[in-house]
């Protein structure tokens, strides 16, 4: 482990020699700037703005600029001589629950390692004490011309130090919050809960950097002179129906996990509440437009069917227009429940449903179709026959 800082970890009167090393690495893709004409690398030179002289590292120092634009030169020796106890020591000043730290404050993680074999025992003692207490230590230390707030906790077999942003460095989230009042229904919350459950637990070990892999594949393709398939172009974002999007997401998530699509639909319907009722109303309103029997027609056909006699049924069947199938003509022998099922079938108009529409006037489609004189006469004769039979 390459050390980026060394000093002591002070735990009360216990001093532990430690060294600090990076706990993470990066696979960020780096590009070089080149001259497009001849592919020459572009280099930057540091020059003095007064005499435009090109400078080397030995020619460059540091200075602090005051508000009135005065420059005060600060040397490395000046910084090393600062009267700061945190320059070479991480002084633990208190403890807290690691879970209580705001995630916005967490910064860079480092491994703390014992700097010598003599530091092993106090190092392990502090690690075990923090693990048993479920606590994290808080302290400060200076590194790279800055003082840092640090959180130290047990992590497997090591002590992990994570730098924290200072509290006054955190910006208020007020500007990022949605403006105005936003109302979320119970149905939407239930569907969101269903989606969270359907997606399941995330396995962080299964994630990888696809961008880096894509760039490497692009470089290989260019070296070999081959072509990559065209990337999918994402369409512009648009506002969609929230409930519909949630239901579709649940179906997709359950389908990806190998669960039946039907189970996702039933779960979404159960959670939709008022929206589900609205969809039912729309379906009922659409019955007249699509030739399906309305609810009123079904009730009328049930009542009339219960009062029909065998003679009345035959008379009704014989006076039908003859354009219906034999199965439709014999519908008078069916029970009230069977008539309801027949009335629901699309595009089929039974004689019983026509009669109910002519009497009650509740079906717009039936009312429109009574324009034909012959059909109107047949409906009146059917009504008269039923009254006599009754």
């Amino acid at each position: 482990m390459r050390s980026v800082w060394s000093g002591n970890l002070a735990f009360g009167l216990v001093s532990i020699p430690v060294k600090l090393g990076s706990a993470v690495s990066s696979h960020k893709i780096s590009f070089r700037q080149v001259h497009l004409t001849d592919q020459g690398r572009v280099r930057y030179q540091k020059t003095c703005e007064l005499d435009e002289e090109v400078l080397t590292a030995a020619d460059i120092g540091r200075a602090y600029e005051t508000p009135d634009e005065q420059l005060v030169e600060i040397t490395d020796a000046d910084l090393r001589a600062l009267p700061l106890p945190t320059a070479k020591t991480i002084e633990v000043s208190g403890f807290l629950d690691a879970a209580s730290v705001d995630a916005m404050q967490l910064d860079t993680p480092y491994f703390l390692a014992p700097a010598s074999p003599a530091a092993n025992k106090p190092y392990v003692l502090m690690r075990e004490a923090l693990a048993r207490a479920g606590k994290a230590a808080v302290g400060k230390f200076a590194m790279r011309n800055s003082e840092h707030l640090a959180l130290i906790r047990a992590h497997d077999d090591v002590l992990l130090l994570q730098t924290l942003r200072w509290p006054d460095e955190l910006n208020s989230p007020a500007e990022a919050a949605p403006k105005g009042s936003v109302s979320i229904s119970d149905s939407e919350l239930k569907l969101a809960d269903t989606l969270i459950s359907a997606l399941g637990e995330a396995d962080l070990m299964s994630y990888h950097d696809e961008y880096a892999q894509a760039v490497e594949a692009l470089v290989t393709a260019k070296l070999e002179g081959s072509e990559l398939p065209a990337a999918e172009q994402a369409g512009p974002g648009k506002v969609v129906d929230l409930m519909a999007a949630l239901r579709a997401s649940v179906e997709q998530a359950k389908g990806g996990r190998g669960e039946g699509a039907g189970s996702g639909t039933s779960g979404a319907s159960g959670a939709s509440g008022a929206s589900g009722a609205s969809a039912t109303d729309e379906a009922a309103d659409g019955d007249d437009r699509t030739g399906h029997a309305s609810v009123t027609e079904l009730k009328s056909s049930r009542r009339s069917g219960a009062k029909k006699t065998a003679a009345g049924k035959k008379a009704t069947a014989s006076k039908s227009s003859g354009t219906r199938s034999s199965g439709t003509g014999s519908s008078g022998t069916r029970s009230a429940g069977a008539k309801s099922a027949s009335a629901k079938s699309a595009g089929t108009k039974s004689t019983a449903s026509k009669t109910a529409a002519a009497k009650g006037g509740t079906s717009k489609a039936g009312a429109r179709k009574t324009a034909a004189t012959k059909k109107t006469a047949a409906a009146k004769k059917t009504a008269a026959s039923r009254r006599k039979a009754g």
Side-chain angles (χ1 to χ4, degrees):
M1 181 183 77
R2 187 176 67 88
S3 176
V4 296
W5 182 91
S6 61
N8 296 304
L9 175 59
F11 178 33
L13 297 178
V14 178
S15 183
I16 311 169
V18 293
K19 54 185 179 180
L20 203 64
S22 180
V24 295
S25 60
S26 173
H27 42 66
K28 182 180 178 181
I29 297 295
S30 297
F31 296 103
R32 295 191 181 278
Q33 292 185 327
V34 297
H35 185 197
L36 293 177
T37 303
D38 54 16
Q39 298 296 297
R41 287 175 58 181
V42 176
R43 297 185 179 276
Y44 292 95
Q45 292 181 325
K46 295 182 178 181
T47 59
C48 176
E49 67 175 9
L50 297 180
D51 57 17
E52 297 185 353
E53 180 184 353
V54 177
L55 306 176
T56 64
D59 299 323
I60 300 172
R62 67 169 61 84
Y64 179 84
E65 185 174 1
T66 63
D68 58 356
E69 298 184 352
Q70 294 187 56
L71 293 175
V72 180
E73 185 177 351
I74 304 294
T75 66
D76 292 340
D78 292 333
L79 294 176
R80 286 193 295 268
L82 285 175
L84 283 177
T86 57
K88 296 300 291 182
T89 301
I90 305 172
E91 183 73 41
V92 173
S93 55
F95 301 88
L96 51 71
D97 293 326
S100 66
V101 179
D102 190 341
M104 288 178 60
Q105 273 193 271
L106 298 176
D107 203 347
T108 309
Y110 295 93
F111 288 137
L112 268 177
S116 64
N120 288 344
K121 186 169 183 176
Y123 180 93
V124 172
L125 172 63
M126 184 172 188
R127 184 194 68 196
E128 293 301 308
L130 290 175
R132 284 166 60 91
K135 298 287 186 178
V138 177
K140 296 192 303 180
F141 73 107
M143 178 180 69
R144 296 172 180 169
N145 303 327
S146 298
E147 189 172 57
H148 301 272
L149 186 62
L151 189 74
I152 303 167
R153 54 187 163 183
H155 181 77
D156 295 334
D157 293 333
V158 301
L159 287 174
L160 183 70
L161 181 149
Q162 192 153 17
T163 56
L164 303 176
R165 296 178 179 89
W166 299 99
D168 58 359
E169 291 180 330
L170 304 181
N171 295 329
S172 171
E175 293 184 2
K179 301 296 186 292
S181 177
V182 179
S183 177
I184 301 296
S185 68
D186 290 341
S187 300
E188 291 166 335
L189 283 174
K190 288 178 181 178
L191 266 180
D193 292 340
T194 302
L195 177 57
I196 291 173
S197 177
L199 288 174
E201 294 292 327
D203 179 11
L204 293 181
M205 297 302 295
S206 66
Y207 291 83
H208 56 277
D209 187 350
E210 295 183 4
Y211 181 85
Q213 294 178 353
V215 171
E216 291 172 359
L218 173 64
V219 172
T220 301
K222 284 182 172 289
L223 289 174
E224 296 175 351
S226 58
E227 293 184 1
L228 286 177
E232 296 182 2
Q233 298 295 327
K238 59 182 180 180
V239 178
V240 298
D241 180 75
L242 183 57
M243 294 294 288
L246 285 171
R247 289 192 188 96
S249 300
V250 171
E251 291 288 340
Q252 185 181 53
K254 291 198 172 188
R257 294 172 59 185
E259 298 182 17
S263 62
T265 304
S266 62
S269 300
S272 60
S275 295
S278 176
T280 304
D281 293 340
E282 290 176 3
D285 292 340
D287 284 342
D288 291 338
R289 295 191 298 270
T290 58
H292 287 249
S294 68
V295 175
T296 305
E297 287 179 323
L298 297 180
K299 291 181 179 179
S300 299
S301 63
R302 289 193 187 105
R303 288 195 298 268
S304 61
K307 295 180 180 180
K308 285 184 180 180
T309 62
K313 294 174 187 176
K314 291 179 180 179
T316 302
S318 63
K319 292 184 180 183
S320 61
S321 61
T323 59
R324 299 293 180 262
S325 64
S326 60
T328 304
S330 62
S331 62
T333 62
R334 299 176 185 172
S335 64
K339 287 180 181 178
S340 300
S342 174
K344 289 182 181 179
S345 61
T348 303
K349 295 290 184 177
S350 66
T351 304
S353 65
K354 286 184 181 180
T355 303
K359 292 172 68 179
T362 54
S363 172
K364 294 180 181 178
R368 287 196 296 268
K369 292 184 179 292
T370 57
T373 305
K374 292 182 179 181
K375 292 182 180 180
T376 304
K380 290 180 179 180
K381 289 179 181 180
T382 301
S385 176
R386 289 179 180 174
R387 286 195 295 273
K388 290 179 181 181

